[in-house]
Short mmCIF file of all heavy atoms in Angstrom, two decimals:
data_model
loop_
_atom_site.label_atom_id
_atom_site.label_comp_id
_atom_site.label_asym_id
_atom_site.label_seq_id
_atom_site.Cartn_x
_atom_site.Cartn_y
_atom_site.Cartn_z
N PRO A 311 -7.05 18.38 -24.34
CA PRO A 311 -6.24 19.35 -23.57
C PRO A 311 -6.08 20.64 -24.39
O PRO A 311 -6.55 20.71 -25.52
CB PRO A 311 -4.90 18.65 -23.41
CG PRO A 311 -5.07 17.27 -23.91
CD PRO A 311 -6.27 17.26 -24.80
N LYS A 312 -5.39 21.61 -23.80
CA LYS A 312 -5.28 22.91 -24.47
C LYS A 312 -4.10 22.99 -25.42
O LYS A 312 -4.05 23.86 -26.28
CB LYS A 312 -5.10 24.01 -23.42
CG LYS A 312 -6.35 24.26 -22.63
CD LYS A 312 -6.18 25.43 -21.71
CE LYS A 312 -7.51 25.81 -21.10
NZ LYS A 312 -8.37 24.65 -20.80
N SER A 313 -3.13 22.12 -25.20
CA SER A 313 -1.90 22.24 -25.98
C SER A 313 -1.17 20.91 -25.97
O SER A 313 -1.50 20.01 -25.19
CB SER A 313 -0.99 23.29 -25.34
OG SER A 313 -0.66 22.87 -24.02
N ILE A 314 -0.16 20.80 -26.82
CA ILE A 314 0.65 19.59 -26.82
C ILE A 314 1.43 19.48 -25.52
O ILE A 314 1.59 18.39 -24.98
CB ILE A 314 1.60 19.59 -28.04
CG1 ILE A 314 0.77 19.38 -29.31
CG2 ILE A 314 2.65 18.50 -27.90
CD1 ILE A 314 1.57 19.15 -30.57
N GLU A 315 1.86 20.61 -24.97
CA GLU A 315 2.55 20.56 -23.67
C GLU A 315 1.66 19.90 -22.62
O GLU A 315 2.11 19.04 -21.87
CB GLU A 315 2.92 21.96 -23.16
CG GLU A 315 4.04 22.65 -23.90
CD GLU A 315 3.52 23.58 -24.96
OE1 GLU A 315 2.39 23.34 -25.49
OE2 GLU A 315 4.21 24.56 -25.30
N GLY A 316 0.40 20.34 -22.58
CA GLY A 316 -0.54 19.78 -21.61
C GLY A 316 -0.74 18.28 -21.85
O GLY A 316 -0.70 17.49 -20.91
N TYR A 317 -0.93 17.93 -23.11
CA TYR A 317 -1.15 16.52 -23.46
C TYR A 317 0.06 15.68 -23.04
O TYR A 317 -0.07 14.61 -22.46
CB TYR A 317 -1.39 16.42 -24.96
CG TYR A 317 -1.54 15.02 -25.49
CD1 TYR A 317 -2.70 14.28 -25.24
CD2 TYR A 317 -0.53 14.43 -26.25
CE1 TYR A 317 -2.83 12.98 -25.73
CE2 TYR A 317 -0.66 13.15 -26.75
CZ TYR A 317 -1.81 12.43 -26.48
OH TYR A 317 -1.94 11.15 -26.96
N TYR A 318 1.24 16.19 -23.34
CA TYR A 318 2.46 15.44 -23.01
C TYR A 318 2.63 15.29 -21.50
O TYR A 318 2.96 14.22 -21.00
CB TYR A 318 3.68 16.16 -23.61
CG TYR A 318 4.98 15.45 -23.31
CD1 TYR A 318 5.37 14.35 -24.06
CD2 TYR A 318 5.80 15.85 -22.26
CE1 TYR A 318 6.55 13.66 -23.77
CE2 TYR A 318 6.97 15.19 -21.96
CZ TYR A 318 7.34 14.10 -22.73
OH TYR A 318 8.50 13.43 -22.43
N GLN A 319 2.37 16.36 -20.79
CA GLN A 319 2.54 16.32 -19.34
C GLN A 319 1.53 15.37 -18.70
O GLN A 319 1.87 14.55 -17.84
CB GLN A 319 2.38 17.72 -18.76
CG GLN A 319 2.97 17.85 -17.39
CD GLN A 319 2.95 19.30 -16.92
OE1 GLN A 319 1.90 19.94 -16.91
NE2 GLN A 319 4.09 19.82 -16.56
N GLU A 320 0.28 15.46 -19.14
CA GLU A 320 -0.76 14.62 -18.55
C GLU A 320 -0.55 13.15 -18.90
O GLU A 320 -0.61 12.27 -18.04
CB GLU A 320 -2.14 15.13 -18.98
CG GLU A 320 -2.53 16.42 -18.25
CD GLU A 320 -3.30 17.42 -19.10
OE1 GLU A 320 -4.10 16.98 -19.96
OE2 GLU A 320 -3.10 18.63 -18.92
N THR A 321 -0.30 12.87 -20.18
CA THR A 321 -0.10 11.46 -20.57
C THR A 321 1.18 10.91 -19.95
O THR A 321 1.31 9.71 -19.72
CB THR A 321 -0.01 11.30 -22.10
OG1 THR A 321 1.01 12.16 -22.61
CG2 THR A 321 -1.33 11.63 -22.77
N GLY A 322 2.13 11.82 -19.66
CA GLY A 322 3.41 11.39 -19.11
C GLY A 322 3.30 10.75 -17.73
O GLY A 322 4.24 10.12 -17.26
N ARG A 323 2.14 10.89 -17.10
CA ARG A 323 1.97 10.28 -15.78
C ARG A 323 1.76 8.77 -15.87
O ARG A 323 1.77 8.07 -14.86
CB ARG A 323 0.81 10.95 -15.05
CG ARG A 323 1.24 12.34 -14.65
CD ARG A 323 0.16 13.30 -14.29
NE ARG A 323 0.79 14.61 -14.16
CZ ARG A 323 0.22 15.75 -14.42
NH1 ARG A 323 -1.03 15.78 -14.85
NH2 ARG A 323 0.88 16.88 -14.28
N ALA A 324 1.59 8.28 -17.09
CA ALA A 324 1.44 6.83 -17.28
C ALA A 324 2.82 6.17 -17.38
O ALA A 324 3.77 6.77 -17.88
CB ALA A 324 0.66 6.55 -18.56
N GLY A 325 2.91 4.96 -16.84
CA GLY A 325 4.08 4.11 -17.08
C GLY A 325 5.42 4.65 -16.64
O GLY A 325 6.42 4.46 -17.33
N ARG A 326 5.48 5.28 -15.48
CA ARG A 326 6.80 5.74 -14.99
C ARG A 326 7.74 4.59 -14.74
O ARG A 326 8.95 4.76 -14.73
CB ARG A 326 6.63 6.50 -13.67
CG ARG A 326 5.96 7.82 -13.80
CD ARG A 326 5.83 8.43 -12.43
NE ARG A 326 7.06 9.07 -12.07
CZ ARG A 326 7.16 10.34 -11.66
NH1 ARG A 326 6.07 11.06 -11.55
NH2 ARG A 326 8.31 10.86 -11.35
N ASP A 327 7.19 3.42 -14.48
CA ASP A 327 8.05 2.26 -14.20
C ASP A 327 8.63 1.65 -15.48
O ASP A 327 9.33 0.65 -15.43
CB ASP A 327 7.27 1.21 -13.41
CG ASP A 327 5.96 0.81 -14.09
OD1 ASP A 327 5.75 1.21 -15.26
OD2 ASP A 327 5.16 0.10 -13.47
N GLY A 328 8.31 2.22 -16.62
CA GLY A 328 8.89 1.72 -17.87
C GLY A 328 8.13 0.56 -18.48
O GLY A 328 8.44 0.13 -19.59
N LEU A 329 7.12 0.05 -17.79
CA LEU A 329 6.32 -1.03 -18.36
C LEU A 329 5.28 -0.45 -19.32
O LEU A 329 4.94 0.73 -19.22
CB LEU A 329 5.64 -1.81 -17.23
CG LEU A 329 6.58 -2.54 -16.27
CD1 LEU A 329 5.79 -3.15 -15.12
CD2 LEU A 329 7.34 -3.62 -17.02
N PRO A 330 4.74 -1.28 -20.24
CA PRO A 330 3.79 -0.76 -21.23
C PRO A 330 2.62 -0.02 -20.58
O PRO A 330 2.09 -0.44 -19.56
CB PRO A 330 3.29 -2.03 -21.93
CG PRO A 330 4.37 -3.02 -21.74
CD PRO A 330 5.00 -2.72 -20.42
N ALA A 331 2.26 1.12 -21.19
CA ALA A 331 1.15 1.92 -20.68
C ALA A 331 0.46 2.59 -21.86
O ALA A 331 1.06 2.75 -22.93
CB ALA A 331 1.66 2.97 -19.70
N ASP A 332 -0.80 2.97 -21.67
CA ASP A 332 -1.59 3.58 -22.74
C ASP A 332 -1.88 5.05 -22.47
O ASP A 332 -2.23 5.42 -21.35
CB ASP A 332 -2.95 2.87 -22.84
CG ASP A 332 -2.95 1.76 -23.88
OD1 ASP A 332 -2.46 2.02 -25.00
OD2 ASP A 332 -3.43 0.66 -23.58
N ALA A 333 -1.76 5.85 -23.53
CA ALA A 333 -2.31 7.21 -23.52
C ALA A 333 -3.44 7.18 -24.54
O ALA A 333 -3.20 6.97 -25.73
CB ALA A 333 -1.25 8.23 -23.92
N TRP A 334 -4.65 7.34 -24.07
CA TRP A 334 -5.83 7.13 -24.91
C TRP A 334 -6.70 8.37 -24.88
O TRP A 334 -6.91 8.94 -23.80
CB TRP A 334 -6.58 5.92 -24.35
CG TRP A 334 -7.81 5.47 -25.08
CD1 TRP A 334 -7.89 4.48 -26.02
CD2 TRP A 334 -9.16 5.95 -24.89
NE1 TRP A 334 -9.20 4.33 -26.43
CE2 TRP A 334 -9.99 5.21 -25.75
CE3 TRP A 334 -9.73 6.92 -24.07
CZ2 TRP A 334 -11.36 5.42 -25.83
CZ3 TRP A 334 -11.11 7.14 -24.15
CH2 TRP A 334 -11.91 6.39 -25.02
N MET A 335 -7.15 8.82 -26.02
CA MET A 335 -8.00 10.02 -26.03
C MET A 335 -9.14 9.84 -27.01
O MET A 335 -8.95 9.30 -28.10
CB MET A 335 -7.17 11.25 -26.41
CG MET A 335 -8.00 12.52 -26.60
SD MET A 335 -7.04 14.01 -26.34
CE MET A 335 -6.15 14.12 -27.86
N ALA A 336 -10.34 10.29 -26.61
CA ALA A 336 -11.48 10.33 -27.53
C ALA A 336 -11.66 11.80 -27.92
O ALA A 336 -11.69 12.67 -27.06
CB ALA A 336 -12.73 9.79 -26.86
N TYR A 337 -11.78 12.03 -29.21
CA TYR A 337 -11.76 13.40 -29.69
C TYR A 337 -12.78 13.57 -30.82
O TYR A 337 -12.91 12.70 -31.68
CB TYR A 337 -10.32 13.66 -30.16
CG TYR A 337 -10.13 14.62 -31.29
CD1 TYR A 337 -10.14 15.99 -31.06
CD2 TYR A 337 -9.91 14.16 -32.58
CE1 TYR A 337 -9.95 16.87 -32.10
CE2 TYR A 337 -9.71 15.04 -33.63
CZ TYR A 337 -9.73 16.40 -33.39
OH TYR A 337 -9.53 17.26 -34.42
N GLY A 338 -13.56 14.65 -30.78
CA GLY A 338 -14.58 14.87 -31.80
C GLY A 338 -14.76 16.35 -32.12
O GLY A 338 -14.08 17.21 -31.55
N LEU A 339 -15.71 16.61 -33.01
CA LEU A 339 -15.98 17.99 -33.43
C LEU A 339 -16.27 18.89 -32.23
O LEU A 339 -15.80 20.02 -32.17
CB LEU A 339 -17.17 17.99 -34.41
CG LEU A 339 -17.69 19.37 -34.80
CD1 LEU A 339 -16.64 20.15 -35.57
CD2 LEU A 339 -18.97 19.24 -35.64
N GLY A 340 -17.05 18.38 -31.28
CA GLY A 340 -17.42 19.18 -30.12
C GLY A 340 -16.21 19.72 -29.38
O GLY A 340 -16.22 20.83 -28.86
N ASP A 341 -15.13 18.93 -29.34
CA ASP A 341 -13.91 19.36 -28.65
C ASP A 341 -13.28 20.55 -29.34
O ASP A 341 -12.80 21.49 -28.70
CB ASP A 341 -12.89 18.22 -28.62
CG ASP A 341 -13.32 17.10 -27.70
OD1 ASP A 341 -13.46 17.36 -26.50
OD2 ASP A 341 -13.52 15.98 -28.18
N VAL A 342 -13.26 20.50 -30.67
CA VAL A 342 -12.66 21.59 -31.43
C VAL A 342 -13.46 22.86 -31.19
O VAL A 342 -12.91 23.93 -30.89
CB VAL A 342 -12.63 21.27 -32.94
CG1 VAL A 342 -11.86 22.34 -33.69
CG2 VAL A 342 -12.03 19.89 -33.20
N VAL A 343 -14.79 22.72 -31.29
CA VAL A 343 -15.68 23.86 -31.11
C VAL A 343 -15.50 24.45 -29.71
O VAL A 343 -15.34 25.66 -29.54
CB VAL A 343 -17.14 23.41 -31.34
CG1 VAL A 343 -18.11 24.50 -30.91
CG2 VAL A 343 -17.36 23.05 -32.81
N GLN A 344 -15.50 23.57 -28.71
CA GLN A 344 -15.40 24.02 -27.33
C GLN A 344 -14.09 24.77 -27.04
O GLN A 344 -14.07 25.83 -26.44
CB GLN A 344 -15.51 22.80 -26.43
CG GLN A 344 -15.55 23.10 -24.96
CD GLN A 344 -15.78 21.82 -24.17
OE1 GLN A 344 -15.24 20.77 -24.52
NE2 GLN A 344 -16.59 21.90 -23.14
N GLN A 345 -12.97 24.18 -27.51
CA GLN A 345 -11.68 24.82 -27.24
C GLN A 345 -11.55 26.17 -27.97
O GLN A 345 -11.02 27.12 -27.43
CB GLN A 345 -10.51 23.91 -27.63
CG GLN A 345 -10.33 22.72 -26.70
CD GLN A 345 -9.84 23.13 -25.31
OE1 GLN A 345 -9.40 24.26 -25.09
NE2 GLN A 345 -9.92 22.22 -24.37
N ARG A 346 -12.05 26.20 -29.21
CA ARG A 346 -11.96 27.47 -29.94
C ARG A 346 -12.82 28.53 -29.25
O ARG A 346 -12.43 29.69 -29.14
CB ARG A 346 -12.43 27.28 -31.38
CG ARG A 346 -11.50 26.45 -32.24
CD ARG A 346 -11.33 27.08 -33.63
NE ARG A 346 -10.70 26.17 -34.58
CZ ARG A 346 -9.39 26.00 -34.69
NH1 ARG A 346 -8.57 26.65 -33.89
NH2 ARG A 346 -8.90 25.15 -35.57
N ARG A 347 -13.97 28.11 -28.77
CA ARG A 347 -14.85 29.08 -28.10
C ARG A 347 -14.18 29.59 -26.82
O ARG A 347 -14.20 30.78 -26.52
CB ARG A 347 -16.19 28.44 -27.76
CG ARG A 347 -17.12 29.45 -27.08
CD ARG A 347 -18.47 28.88 -26.67
NE ARG A 347 -19.14 28.16 -27.73
CZ ARG A 347 -19.49 26.88 -27.65
NH1 ARG A 347 -19.23 26.19 -26.57
NH2 ARG A 347 -20.10 26.30 -28.66
#
Side-chain angles (χ1 to χ4, degrees):
K312 289 186 170 37
S313 61
I314 290 189
E315 288 96 333
Y317 176 73
Y318 179 80
Q319 199 173 55
E320 285 143 35
T321 55
R323 289 163 189 148
R326 289 179 83 127
D327 54 10
L329 295 174
D332 265 313
W334 182 96
M335 173 155 78
Y337 149 81
L339 172 64
D341 290 298
V342 186
V343 169
Q344 185 175 39
Q345 288 291 347
R346 291 223 193 277
R347 181 182 310 121

